[in-house]
Amino acid sequence: MKPQILALVALGLLAACGPAEPPLPYISEKARAALPPGTDLRTVHRRENGCYYIQTRDELSGYLRNVTDHSGAMVCDDI
């Protein structure tokens, strides 16, 4: 009977862990520096051309906003 109890305890501990968070996407230091404070990094993406955007949602729909630096230029990595 002890092995059954141990198995139930182990299953309970595993269930308490919950699903693992997905890994964060790669975001360069240059792009991180340009992000608004409090930006959820899971919403930041890089296009094939190396430029970053933030995917957001509001009550009606989602939209994409380019990540820009202090001068208003799009933040892009060399690819």
Side-chain angles (χ1 to χ4, degrees):
M1 182 121 151
K2 285 186 181 182
Q4 293 170 342
I5 293 173
L6 290 175
L8 289 175
V9 169
L11 286 174
L13 291 174
L14 287 174
C17 293
E21 288 284 323
L24 291 175
Y26 170 77
I27 303 170
S28 69
E29 289 302 317
K30 178 171 62 171
R32 286 177 186 256
L35 292 173
T39 300
D40 181 354
L41 297 180
R42 293 173 294 186
T43 64
V44 179
H45 305 279
R46 189 173 67 175
R47 292 187 171 97
E48 290 179 8
N49 65 0
C51 298
Y52 288 89
Y53 67 94
I54 302 170
Q55 184 176 10
T56 60
R57 290 203 172 277
D58 60 15
E59 299 83 39
L60 301 175
S61 65
Y63 62 95
L64 307 177
R65 184 171 53 124
N66 292 325
V67 175
T68 56
D69 62 16
H70 62 354
S71 67
M74 289 178 51
V75 175
C76 303
D77 293 339
D78 295 330
I79 53 169

